[in-house]
Amino acid sequence: MQSFKKVVEASYLTAEKAWSYRTILRYFYIQHERMREFLFPEEIYAYLNKLPDFADYTEEQLHQDLDQLVKWNNLLARQEMGRAYSIEEFKKKRFRYQCTPYTVEFERMLLEMEKSGEAFGGSLEKKEFERLYQNLVQLETVLQQPVLSKADECSQLWNDIFTYFRSITKNTSDYIAHINSEEAEERMYTEAFLIYKDKFTAYLRDFIIGLQHTAQKIQLLLRSLNIDELRLFMQQVIVHQQHVPRFEDITDETVLMEELEARWQTLMTWFLGDVYRESELESLQTRTNEQIRRITRIVQRLGERHHYFRSRKKDYLHLAKWFASIEDIHEAHELSAVAFGVFHTRHLYSDHIPTEDIYTDTWEEQPMKHETKPRIRNYREKTKAGAIISKEQEKEVARQKYLQEKLVEQKTLEKYMVGNEIKVEKLPIIETYVRKMLLGWIGKAMAKEDYTIKTEHGRLVKVHISRTKRVQLHAVDGSMEMPAVTFEFLNKGNKYGT
């Protein structure tokens, strides 16, 4: 298993003297790209002296920096064994330096990041999907041949397929991240966005149309490929890789085959998905469509904002001429009501709560009385001393009435019980309050893991809800369709139950 140790080669990026280390290694990288592998300290010092920030930089400081970069494995030092031309060169060792592969990759990555800046790049190119499809068609043709192509041709085709696939995944993910970024969102809400919103929307729609056309063909082709024939093709790719002379240890063929199969499985999953998630292709289509709808909403809001600040002088002049042409006052009133609304409408509000029963209808409530208080600073309500009146008798009457209602409800439920169960499908036409009670029990039970609740009557009820069967519940105030439900009573009731 690979051990994720500390990457010492990256130390120069965050060191205190990163300004000098990075300048030196950037120069090494530029020369490496020009195929100059070995550099002498004199050449590096001459380059640094031309830079404004290195005006006070000494040759001794350069040797210290080079030694440190060698310790961090960013540079390789090789002693120059040639003839010395001076006494000083004879006394001290002369080295020439070469940058390591880690350094080259770091600088290459940093250079790309510097070019792209802090914003995401990427693009939605339907042509890349078409090129990938053409390569997959070529792969299908190769697999159907009785004799596979040469190893180098198979390797080239394999590399072309995954070059386009990497380009697709990188560009699409970067572009989606770009249009979802905070900077892009801020620009979308500016008036300047209205100028090129049609071009932006057309770009997304054109990509979606091209993607849907090509993606379906790619999916059908991927499903038709034979994995055994594909392994023979991968074997040719491995043969070509092993023919390339390298000084490192040759990787085991089994490991190479597992790596190629893993890469192919990644491509399959991206286009076809798996049992755990949908394909990235479907996700890309969904997110692109969402961006089109989002842009449409933003443009609509910008249009509404622009319309809100638009002068309505011409509209009012048109209305004024219209009013002037009307001879009948009643017709003028009708036009006024349509244009400006009804003038005599008043909205009244009262915080009086007549009842706590949530099932009470509006027409069953008593009229409310509202006293309008004067809106003056010195107004105070008149108060007078009053005695504390005992409400014990009224409370007892209300309590007995409540218990009597619960007792009636309990006896009504017993009438519909068969054993210790109530089955909705076997109920006759029931009372309205019984229907509300049963539906309330179902709502409470669905919030419990075991679907067991305690009712108002002190009974434990387990609610069994069918996932497939549906029945009709008939009540005095109408019928409703619902799942087949069975209420199972687990214990006896309280003092006003049985």
Side-chain angles (χ1 to χ4, degrees):
M1 181 179 177
Q2 182 181 3
S3 60
F4 292 95
K5 61 181 181 179
K6 182 179 179 181
V7 182
V8 183
E9 291 84 352
S11 301
Y12 80 96
L13 296 172
T14 56
E16 185 177 352
K17 290 186 64 178
W19 59 275
S20 64
Y21 297 145
R22 291 196 58 189
T23 307
I24 294 170
L25 292 182
R26 178 60 58 88
Y27 181 70
F28 269 95
Y29 170 73
I30 294 173
Q31 300 306 315
H32 169 81
E33 292 295 299
R34 296 174 182 174
M35 298 186 182
R36 295 186 64 232
E37 300 300 329
F38 295 97
L39 301 178
F40 288 97
E42 294 81 4
E43 178 185 354
I44 303 169
Y45 185 69
Y47 166 75
L48 294 177
N49 271 341
K50 298 177 182 179
L51 302 178
D53 296 336
F54 289 83
D56 300 328
Y57 195 71
T58 63
E59 192 171 355
E60 183 180 355
Q61 289 176 317
L62 172 63
H63 284 286
Q64 292 175 356
D65 292 344
L66 292 175
D67 292 341
Q68 184 61 55
L69 291 173
V70 170
K71 291 179 181 178
W72 284 337
N73 199 27
N74 295 113
L75 296 176
L76 297 176
R78 180 174 297 182
Q79 186 175 357
E80 181 62 30
M81 305 302 293
R83 181 180 298 177
Y85 294 96
S86 65
I87 298 176
E88 293 182 357
E89 290 181 0
F90 179 79
K91 289 182 178 179
K92 65 180 182 180
K93 297 179 181 179
R94 296 185 72 244
F95 290 96
R96 56 179 181 171
Y97 297 89
Q98 178 187 18
C99 58
T100 60
Y102 263 93
T103 306
V104 172
E105 293 301 325
F106 279 145
E107 289 300 316
R108 183 176 289 134
M109 176 189 68
L110 291 170
L111 200 60
E112 289 295 325
M113 293 177 67
E114 290 168 6
K115 290 179 181 179
S116 61
E118 296 182 0
F120 286 101
S123 59
L124 300 179
E125 299 293 341
K126 61 180 182 180
K127 291 294 183 183
E128 292 183 343
F129 286 90
E130 295 175 2
R131 296 188 186 100
L132 175 62
Y133 174 68
Q134 295 300 329
N135 279 274
L136 290 174
V137 170
Q138 187 177 352
L139 173 63
E140 183 183 33
T141 304
V142 171
L143 295 180
Q144 291 175 354
Q145 293 176 355
V147 179
L148 288 177
S149 302
K150 296 180 181 179
D152 57 344
E153 297 177 0
C154 293
S155 180
Q156 183 61 46
L157 178 57
W158 178 268
N159 291 334
D160 290 343
I161 290 174
F162 280 92
T163 297
Y164 287 125
F165 177 61
R166 279 194 299 270
S167 178
I168 288 171
T169 55
K170 179 181 181 299
N171 288 335
T172 53
S173 60
D174 285 356
Y175 191 76
I176 292 296
H178 165 67
I179 59 180
N180 281 321
S181 64
E182 184 177 353
E183 181 182 358
E185 186 171 358
E186 289 177 357
R187 292 187 178 181
M188 285 182 183
Y189 281 97
T190 60
E191 297 290 340
F193 179 69
L194 292 173
I195 300 174
Y196 62 95
K197 55 94 177 175
D198 292 332
K199 180 180 179 181
F200 195 70
T201 307
Y203 176 73
L204 295 177
R205 286 177 178 162
D206 185 53
F207 171 73
I208 281 291
I209 294 172
L211 176 63
Q212 291 174 343
H213 179 70
T214 310
Q216 291 180 355
K217 296 191 293 185
I218 293 177
Q219 289 174 329
L220 290 174
L221 195 150
L222 289 175
R223 291 190 180 99
S224 65
L225 294 179
N226 188 295
I227 188 62
D228 294 328
E229 296 176 352
L230 194 60
R231 287 194 179 96
L232 295 177
F233 179 85
M234 294 179 186
Q235 190 66 42
Q236 291 292 96
V237 177
I238 294 174
V239 169
H240 177 75
Q241 292 179 354
Q242 291 178 337
H243 281 172
V244 178
R246 298 184 184 277
F247 293 104
E248 297 88 356
D249 295 335
I250 299 177
T251 308
D252 184 41
E253 185 175 335
T254 306
V255 177
L256 291 174
M257 178 61 75
E258 290 177 356
E259 181 181 350
L260 295 183
E261 289 182 357
R263 294 175 66 185
W264 180 258
Q265 185 60 42
T266 301
L267 187 146
M268 293 280 289
T269 305
W270 201 93
F271 281 96
L272 302 177
D274 53 24
V275 295
Y276 301 105
R277 58 188 178 276
E278 67 176 1
S279 67
E280 294 297 328
L281 177 65
E282 294 176 357
S283 176
L284 176 62
Q285 292 176 341
T286 302
R287 297 178 70 178
T288 309
N289 284 323
E290 287 177 355
Q291 292 305 322
I292 295 175
R293 289 192 291 269
R294 175 185 169 211
I295 293 169
T296 305
R297 289 195 300 268
I298 291 174
V299 171
Q300 182 180 0
R301 291 172 187 171
L302 289 174
E304 290 174 354
R305 187 194 308 171
H306 181 71
H307 182 75
Y308 179 77
F309 291 105
R310 182 177 63 87
S311 174
R312 302 193 65 185
K313 178 180 178 180
K314 294 182 180 180
D315 297 343
Y316 288 127
L317 288 174
H318 178 75
L319 275 175
K321 292 178 182 179
W322 196 351
F323 275 110
S325 65
I326 297 175
E327 298 180 357
D328 186 4
I329 188 63
H330 296 290
E331 187 177 349
H333 287 329
E334 292 176 358
L335 177 59
S336 173
V338 173
F340 305 109
V342 183
F343 290 100
H344 56 75
T345 302
R346 296 291 182 269
H347 297 277
L348 302 178
Y349 168 77
S350 174
D351 56 358
H352 176 63
I353 302 176
T355 178
E356 298 290 341
D357 188 0
I358 62 175
Y359 299 108
T360 301
D361 295 317
T362 304
W363 50 82
E364 296 177 357
E365 297 180 1
Q366 295 297 322
M368 302 177 186
K369 293 181 181 180
H370 177 72
E371 181 182 354
T372 304
K373 299 177 182 179
R375 294 186 178 181
I376 57 177
R377 183 177 299 176
N378 299 326
Y379 172 77
R380 293 183 181 179
E381 295 184 14
K382 295 180 180 180
T383 59
K384 60 180 180 179
I388 299 176
I389 302 173
S390 175
K391 300 289 185 178
E392 289 296 327
Q393 187 174 357
E394 289 84 348
K395 290 181 181 179
E396 183 62 27
V397 171
R399 180 174 176 274
Q400 293 298 329
K401 181 181 179 182
Y402 175 78
L403 294 177
Q404 186 66 26
E405 290 176 355
K406 293 302 177 184
L407 184 60
V408 171
E409 291 178 2
Q410 181 68 12
K411 290 182 179 179
T412 306
L413 284 175
E414 291 176 359
K415 181 174 64 174
Y416 300 126
M417 289 177 60
V418 178
N420 65 334
E421 293 182 343
I422 295 178
K423 293 187 176 181
V424 172
E425 57 186 306
K426 295 184 178 180
L427 289 176
I429 299 176
I430 60 176
E431 294 80 359
T432 302
Y433 68 85
V434 176
R435 175 184 61 79
K436 294 177 180 179
M437 185 187 307
L438 295 179
L439 293 179
W441 290 359
I442 294 174
K444 293 179 181 178
M446 292 181 70
K448 303 286 186 179
E449 292 185 4
D450 57 354
Y451 282 73
T452 302
I453 62 168
K454 190 172 185 180
T455 68
E456 303 88 338
H457 314 107
R459 301 289 298 271
L460 286 177
V461 177
K462 187 174 182 62
V463 182
H464 303 275
I465 303 176
S466 174
R467 302 296 180 185
T468 56
K469 187 176 181 181
R470 301 186 69 82
V471 298
Q472 292 284 335
L473 174 62
H474 302 284
V476 176
D477 56 346
S479 301
M480 63 177 291
E481 183 182 341
M482 61 180 291
V485 179
T486 301
F487 300 92
E488 180 185 0
F489 293 82
L490 305 178
N491 67 338
K492 292 186 177 181
N494 56 16
K495 62 181 181 180
Y496 54 85
T498 56

